[in-house]
Amino acid sequence: MSREVNPLPDNILDSTLSQGDLSKEARSLRTSEARDGFLLGNLYLRSGDYENAVRAFRRLLGLEPDFAYAHYNLGFAHYKEGDFEEAQQALERAIELDPHHAEFYFTLGLLLDDMRDYEGALANFSQVLERQSTWVDALCYRGMIYSRLGRLEKAQRDYEAALELEPDRVDEIHRLGFIYLQLKKWQEADALFTQVLVTHPEDADAHYYLGEISIARKEWDQAIAHFERSVALDPTHLYAQFRAASIYAKQRYTDLKRQHLFRERAIEHLQQLIRQNENMPGIFDSVDQAYFLLGSLYDDKSEDADKAIEAYQTGLQYGHSAAAHNNLGILYWDKDRIEEASREFRAAIQSDPEYDSAYYNLAKLYFYRQDEQMMRDFEMWTHRQQRNSAQVLYKLSLALMDVARSEAYQGLYSRLHQIKNLMGISGAKLRSAQRMLEKPGKLGDQLAAAFDEQQNCYEEMVQLLQALQQDELVFELLDLNHLITGLVAYMSSMFNMH
């Protein structure tokens, strides 16, 4: 479906190109001057000279003010020139004079769609279909607007009706398949795109959408195969490049045997995506996410830290990301570039005031680097937080307390651990002394009592250390959809029981 569909009524236009075969409407014109003006205006339209077409139809309407087709063609000429308000007025007047022609409503629907008056466009395409139910383009445009407005079930019905009339419209097959994906109708989408590949085996988009279906089903290897095939068929399919890289990046955490391979393949796809996007700017609207993902992959290895920094920096030129600023801050800190690390942690907080990791990292930085420059930096930064200073100070204070508490526990744990070791040694010495006594007597009883008390203290110390010991954090990617679904199912069963 092309936006360049000629909305002129071909039967009227074609029949008015010669004086000898005028349409009924043209023959009804009262003067030869009016008929000549009508033919001249149509010739200008056919040649693409819309400025002169406007003049011709305005002169004609001076002679025949109620001639519907003159208003219609004038509206079409204005539309092609980009004068949308003038076009709308002329088309609405044509419909007022002759409300029976479906093409009048169709062109007005296209115009209103371009003007982003989607409800008005829907109303006009519906008028077209009331008069001509098999107008496939009207079904497709209405389906497209329904989809844009999130009315997916209605969009689905329009696309299905259009494809019943013209089954070979590949663009509409893709749009219908995408709606199936949005509605989570995986089986219908799978069947649709699989059928596309029967007739169009080189269709890169069909493989791309089948890859999306495989992701929904958590069939990771199958998804990778489809995205790789999509890229092989169309190396400029940057969305397939990105999806393949994303799966490789995620799977490197779970498939340790292929971790290195997956990391390299992800980096390769992202580098190719970035190169192609530089050659064809604007064809990929998530280039910032590509750089952020590339940065996280480089971040796996300390020797690639500079590449990771460059990737995050470049990504932040395209878009905002609290996580990217935070990760960049950690990389700077590792290189002892403290001022830059502090700047990135603050930028993460400004980008997302709810991003707790940045507060914690900034708090750690201030806690461990308590020099005058850092204190001035902290004071100046908090002073500049006019809009949300209270929230920033509150969350940063909590983070500082967490860091201090962790440090205190760690220091206490270390000292208590040393004492426990000394108690263990002293306990062993007491036991050895008991065994060396030739005559236990009173001294033996005292040693035994001291050993029992020491053992009790030792066990209590072990329990205290276990309570103080902080669990080691294990970082991994989680499927939040799966986690939330499981939680909802668990809570639902509890509610049902009660």
Side-chain angles (χ1 to χ4, degrees), residues 236 238 271-283:
T236 66
L238 303 192
Q271 289 175 335
Q272 186 175 350
L273 184 159
I274 289 167
R275 285 195 300 269
Q276 290 173 333
N277 188 72
E278 290 174 349
N279 295 330
M280 298 178 290
I283 66 172

Side-chain angles (χ1 to χ4, degrees), residues 259-271:
Q259 185 178 54
H260 176 72
L261 173 63
F262 283 176
R263 178 179 182 269
E264 294 304 313
R265 286 295 292 150
I267 290 174
E268 180 182 337
H269 276 296
L270 291 170
Q271 289 175 335

